[in-house]
Amino acid sequence: MKWQRLLYNNMSPRILLRTFQRISGFRFSSTKPAFTSDRYNVKRGAYASISNDHVAFFNELLGRNRVIVDAEECEGYNIDYAKIVRGKSTLVLKPRTTDEVSTILKFCNENRLAVCPQSGNTGLVGGSVPVFDEIVISMKFMNKIIETNELAGVLTCEAGCVLEDLDNHLGTVGLMMPIDLGAKGSCLIGGCVSTNAGGLRLLRYGNLHGNVLGLEAVKANGEVIDCLNTLKKNNTGYHLKHLFIGSEGTLGIVTKVAIQCPPLPKAVNVALLGLNSFEKVLKAFRLAKAELAEILSSFEMMDKRSIDISFTTFGMKSPLTSKTDGHDFYVLLETSGSNVNHDEEKLGSFVEKALADDIIEDGTLTSDPTKVKHIWALRERISEGVLKEGYVFKYDISIPLSSYYKVIEVIQERLRDPRVIRISGYGHLGDGNIHVQVSIPSYEPDIASQLEPFIFEYVSELRGSVSAEHGIGFVKTKYLHKSRTSSEIKLMHQLKKLMDPNGILNPYKVLHPLEFPA
Amino acid sequence: MEDYKFLFKVVLVGNAGVGKTCLVRRFTQGLFPPGQGATIGVDFMIKTVEVENEKVKLQIWDTAGQERFRSITQSYYRSAHALILVYDISCQPTFDCLPDWLREIEEYASNKVLRILVGNKIDREDREIPTHVGEDFAQRHGMYFLETSAKEAENVERLFMEIAAELMEQARSKELPRYETNTTSINGKTTSIGDTSNCGCSRLS
């Protein structure tokens, strides 16, 4: 029995999840969103338009195979995963090396051509697609692993590597990526870094500002900034890597990263718990932190309306059967540790206490790979499934835990409209991060105006963040000031001006308009 | 917090396919799920019953019969008040495995734990283990014995109610197994078994 259990435990659920579908944003329906510039009434910046000479230059540099001008082919790069934005780009470039990225940017900068760096295009705030005719620089082809230092646990790779591929690769040497998210099958590490993506295990391993040890980036003028440090400690001068982590491609294009990778856990257990109030979810969290302490690697909350998407849209079965009509709340809890018996004892004690104190109604606990995968899929497929309902207003907010779920109740109260299909919330409770989703058959401006700016003001009043892990992108530029002070925003503008004086890098995103209000 | 006086942990073990999950679902939900898939890992739930006008909460752990689907094995038994060992009366191998299960129980569970041997599926006509054979086995090993049918709802309620009543009786006479449950609950209350006159369970309400 022992060897068999060990065998399973050595297979991290992260590896098991690999059979997951690679998320593709265009599988559900063929209806295209309205042009961003029309829907949001955006004015095009004073950039040059693409001429035949420009295209000829790129053809010369990259070869025709890596220069896309076909309108239909460009369309995939113009629409985002969530189908909330649509650009009008007619040119997509696919560099293979840092030098090529550098040459492209130098040329664009000199010719005042705006560019939109694009990674896996799985972002949810419209940051990865052009607004007008910005040249898309797709990083997909820069996908080489440069070095795997097993002893130090440091992976160095190019920006276009798929997160899941990196995790698979690391799994073969007993390491794992410190970041994991639902879009792992198609998101690229460069995009994760550029957006400081959070994900399912931030609770345990921390965010990318900590885990990225170094990176290489290309500035707007084509200058390559080499801060590809691989040391864990290097307190010398300014820590410039941070400028490129989370700045969403507005200060430079990340071309390489060195990332710190924790060892693959030997024992992984996953529990799905059913609860009847949000208050109990919080109690379960407190208990989990106390009982599971250092082995707790995920604590995810889903309300009934969220998990119902996985049950109904994908016909997945609930592993919890004691209540026929389900529970009001669900918690997915994962532990990762180095000693099976040790972890089991902690989990056993956690469950006993949670049952004894009436915190949970029922639950299931397993280390079996298939079931672990099934339980994770219930959580991970929510975001994909809700898109089938039509247009989805998605908000990714951080709020203090005491008000964490209240935001859903407030919106449900405020938005009593028969067109609304679903208002639900789920997310990384352990990080104080909730994903709010409001779905309707198609985009309605009056619904939008009932939600925004209300929700951002509400979050701001609670001293929360209007974007916990998704970034500002295009759709949240108006609300940056709700989570950042004017002194911070002023310095952001100054940095932008210094690093990209012509404003060619990912315009209309993060800082928009580009002039800081006097 | 819910008002109850006793809380007991009841664990079901036994070979795969003997009907542990069906017994639990019959008892907790009053239904018999057709085509029940194998339990993977462990499922746990709460069912509150009333015995002699006292509320008794049963914490039920439904475990995987298949070895490869079992996890946290030792923790199942830890602090269990009752163990229900189930076999299928129409399947000799499930009966033949009982000594193996007993060995595991000896190894991990308290020696004072209430043990109940259950022969399930008496609705079936192809019985292989006569009642008296089951009874003999139970007697030899100091276990309670009952035959049930989850499908026909026969003796299922009785099984759990008798366990609840017996544990309550034991608790009152302080004969429950003592575990090191000097644990601190979420609201800071600390309770040990047998500490208080009105409660023999591991946790006060």
Side-chain angles (χ1 to χ4, degrees):
Chain A
M1 180 191 80
K2 275 277 188 279
W3 66 266
Q4 199 158 22
R5 197 131 50 83
L6 276 172
L7 185 72
Y8 286 123
N9 284 323
N10 276 333
M11 290 161 62
S12 139
R14 301 159 55 86
I15 300 173
L16 306 164
L17 283 164
R18 267 157 216 163
T19 48
F20 250 164
Q21 70 296 325
R22 302 223 158 190
I23 293 175
S24 136
F26 310 107
R27 64 153 63 146
F28 296 131
S29 74
S30 54
T31 47
K32 291 175 183 175
F35 284 118
T36 313
S37 50
D38 298 342
R39 181 177 285 171
Y40 294 91
N41 197 18
V42 195
K43 194 166 164 274
R44 187 178 180 279
Y47 302 103
S49 295
I50 298 161
S51 70
N52 290 339
D53 288 351
H54 297 145
V55 177
F57 173 85
F58 294 124
N59 279 335
E60 179 70 24
L61 177 72
L62 305 171
R64 282 176 193 275
N65 282 345
R66 294 192 283 132
V67 177
I68 295 166
V69 288
D70 175 69
E72 210 166 301
E73 216 180 320
C74 285
E75 200 65 337
Y77 297 85
N78 274 318
I79 301 175
D80 67 321
Y81 165 65
K83 291 193 174 189
I84 50 173
V85 286
R86 183 173 165 210
K88 299 173 173 175
S89 184
T90 55
L91 181 60
V92 178
L93 307 177
K94 294 180 171 178
R96 275 193 199 283
T97 64
T98 303
D99 280 350
E100 286 177 355
V101 175
S102 166
T103 310
I104 292 168
L105 286 185
K106 186 167 182 287
F107 181 81
C108 290
N109 193 45
E110 283 164 2
N111 291 278
R112 302 259 167 158
L113 290 164
V115 302
C116 173
Q118 188 177 93
S119 198
N121 197 13
T122 60
L124 295 165
V125 288
S128 57
V129 297
V131 175
F132 289 94
D133 56 346
E134 299 93 281
I135 299 170
V136 174
I137 302 182
S138 167
M139 300 300 287
K140 276 182 195 168
F141 283 0
M142 284 195 65
N143 57 0
K144 283 193 286 292
I145 291 170
I146 299 164
E147 197 199 352
T148 312
N149 185 333
E150 291 176 39
L151 184 62
V154 178
L155 172 84
T156 309
C157 67
E158 289 182 338
C161 294
V162 174
L163 178 60
E164 189 171 78
D165 294 344
L166 292 176
D167 205 35
N168 287 347
H169 164 74
L170 288 167
T172 62
V173 295
L175 297 171
M176 63 184 270
M177 288 297 280
I179 175 173
D180 185 24
L181 49 147
K184 62 170 111 21
S186 38
C187 69
L188 313 181
I189 189 64
C192 294
V193 170
S194 299
T195 58
N196 187 27
L200 303 162
R201 293 191 180 90
L202 188 134
L203 173 72
R204 171 76 169 268
Y205 302 106
N207 72 20
L208 288 171
H209 281 286
N211 287 308
V212 172
L213 299 175
L215 52 78
E216 178 194 77
V218 183
K219 271 173 52 192
N221 63 2
E223 211 178 308
V224 179
I225 306 296
D226 178 2
C227 37
L228 204 54
N229 167 75
T230 56
L231 300 170
K232 205 151 176 162
K233 286 179 153 184
N234 183 5
N235 266 357
T236 49
Y238 299 162
H239 293 213
L240 295 178
K241 66 176 183 188
H242 295 300
L243 288 174
F244 303 100
I245 302 172
S247 54
E248 304 181 47
T250 61
L251 298 180
I253 298 183
V254 173
T255 45
K256 285 173 193 153
V257 298
I259 193 159
Q260 174 175 282
C261 306
L264 204 58
K266 288 197 177 76
V268 175
N269 282 284
V270 166
L272 185 71
L273 312 171
L275 308 93
N276 64 15
S277 72
F278 182 70
E279 194 199 329
K280 300 221 168 136
V281 173
L282 286 182
K283 281 187 176 171
F285 181 51
R286 216 172 301 162
L287 185 66
K289 283 206 293 186
E291 295 291 321
L292 304 169
E294 77 287 350
I295 61 168
L296 185 64
S297 53
S298 259
F299 194 98
E300 297 284 315
M301 185 281 310
M302 295 162 267
D303 64 6
K304 188 176 185 347
R305 287 191 191 92
S306 292
I307 204 169
D308 273 352
I309 295 169
S310 296
F311 296 149
T312 55
T313 310
F314 299 113
M316 299 173 77
K317 268 180 134 180
S318 174
L320 307 186
T321 50
S322 82
K323 288 188 76 183
T324 342
D325 47 355
H327 303 269
D328 289 339
F329 291 90
Y330 293 81
V331 162
L332 188 164
L333 175 158
E334 183 196 76
T335 62
S336 312
S338 59
N339 182 319
V340 185
N341 296 333
H342 187 193
D343 293 5
E344 287 180 352
E345 201 174 318
K346 288 184 172 192
L347 274 162
S349 153
F350 165 78
V351 169
E352 260 173 40
K353 287 181 185 173
L355 284 170
D357 289 344
D358 256 327
I359 296 172
I360 59 176
E361 293 186 303
D362 70 354
T364 187
L365 174 62
T366 186
S367 60
D368 174 71
T370 314
K371 188 160 176 185
V372 163
K373 184 177 131 188
H374 174 77
I375 293 175
W376 265 117
L378 288 170
R379 159 67 182 82
E380 295 202 67
R381 298 194 77 183
I382 293 172
S383 148
E384 174 195 353
V386 74
L387 293 180
K388 289 192 169 191
E389 295 177 340
Y391 187 89
V392 186
F393 294 94
K394 275 175 172 284
Y395 304 100
D396 162 44
I397 54 184
S398 276
I399 25 179
L401 284 182
S402 51
S403 330
Y404 186 89
Y405 195 72
K406 207 163 162 249
V407 64
I408 301 291
E409 292 159 359
V410 167
I411 294 172
Q412 277 165 352
E413 187 62 35
R414 187 181 163 87
L415 203 61
R416 293 180 182 274
D417 190 301
R419 289 168 296 175
V420 172
I421 301 169
R422 187 185 308 273
I423 299 172
S424 75
Y426 65 98
H428 319 297
L429 184 110
D431 311 326
N433 179 190
I434 184 168
H435 298 318
V436 178
Q437 49 188 16
V438 177
S439 64
I440 48 174
S442 59
Y443 182 83
E444 307 279 356
D446 66 305
I447 299 269
S449 61
Q450 283 185 72
L451 284 164
E452 302 169 23
F454 168 76
I455 186 165
F456 300 116
E457 278 159 6
Y458 180 79
V459 168
S460 187
E461 271 165 37
L462 293 169
R463 299 194 67 81
S465 170
V466 299
S467 187
E469 60 174 8
H470 292 172
I472 289 292
F474 169 79
V475 300
K476 287 185 183 167
T477 48
K478 271 195 286 185
Y479 308 109
L480 178 63
H481 69 281
K482 295 279 180 204
S483 296
R484 293 293 182 192
T485 61
S486 61
S487 56
E488 285 177 292
I489 296 173
K490 190 174 173 191
L491 184 57
M492 289 182 201
H493 279 271
Q494 288 166 344
L495 281 167
K496 173 74 176 171
K497 204 148 220 166
L498 175 78
M499 297 177 70
D500 177 19
N502 295 332
I504 63 158
L505 281 172
N506 219 7
Y508 325 105
K509 318 283 171 60
V510 189
L511 302 178
H512 183 65
L514 268 180
E515 289 307 312
F516 184 70
Chain B
M1 210 161 279
E2 209 186 318
D3 170 40
Y4 63 90
K5 229 167 186 176
F6 297 94
L7 171 73
F8 302 117
K9 178 175 172 183
V10 179
V11 182
L12 288 93
V13 293
N15 274 23
V18 298
K20 297 182 289 300
T21 301
C22 290
L23 285 169
V24 171
R25 293 195 68 181
R26 169 63 73 191
F27 173 61
T28 57
Q29 289 171 284
L31 52 86
F32 180 75
Q36 180 70 32
T39 301
I40 299 173
V42 55
D43 296 339
F44 32 85
M45 63 220 74
I46 286 281
K47 169 92 175 175
T48 307
V49 295
E50 212 162 290
V51 182
E52 294 167 27
N53 296 322
E54 299 278 21
K55 275 199 174 154
V56 178
K57 243 170 93 167
L58 297 177
Q59 185 186 121
I60 301 167
W61 291 54
D62 176 21
T63 71
Q66 280 187 53
E67 197 157 281
R68 66 191 176 103
F69 290 152
R70 307 187 82 211
S71 56
I72 67 161
T73 327
Q74 298 175 38
S75 314
Y76 299 159
Y77 297 106
R78 211 181 63 110
S79 61
H81 297 102
L83 289 173
I84 304 176
L85 175 52
V86 189
Y87 67 94
D88 172 357
I89 58 114
S90 67
C91 179
Q92 185 70 42
T94 66
F95 186 80
D96 295 340
C97 280
L98 294 179
D100 296 338
W101 287 106
L102 279 179
R103 261 194 299 280
E104 194 171 297
I105 291 169
E106 297 291 335
E107 188 177 351
Y108 299 124
S110 153
N111 54 9
K112 281 192 178 173
V113 71
L114 184 68
R115 301 161 195 210
I116 308 95
L117 181 66
V118 169
N120 190 32
K121 305 198 190 179
I122 50 171
D123 51 279
R124 292 188 62 130
E125 312 220 317
D126 51 349
R127 178 191 279 271
E128 290 185 359
I129 298 110
T131 307
H132 69 89
V133 174
E135 249 169 3
D136 281 355
F137 186 93
Q139 209 164 28
R140 275 204 311 280
H141 295 92
M143 304 171 86
Y144 286 74
F145 180 73
L146 197 63
E147 284 192 332
T148 58
S149 164
K151 191 177 180 184
E152 306 291 336
E154 219 175 314
N155 276 345
V156 179
E157 185 84 6
R158 190 181 144 199
L159 167 67
F160 287 95
M161 293 307 281
E162 287 199 1
I163 289 172
E166 176 64 30
L167 288 172
M168 205 168 95
E169 192 58 38
Q170 286 187 14
R172 284 191 167 136
S173 60
K174 294 183 193 170
E175 276 182 2
L176 270 190
R178 284 164 187 268
Y179 298 109
E180 285 181 23
T181 46
N182 258 328
T183 49
T184 307
S185 68
I186 219 166
N187 50 18
K189 261 190 283 181
T190 302
T191 315
S192 293
I193 289 170
D195 276 357
T196 46
S197 54
N198 67 339
C199 177
C201 59
S202 63
R203 191 60 59 90
L204 277 173
S205 59

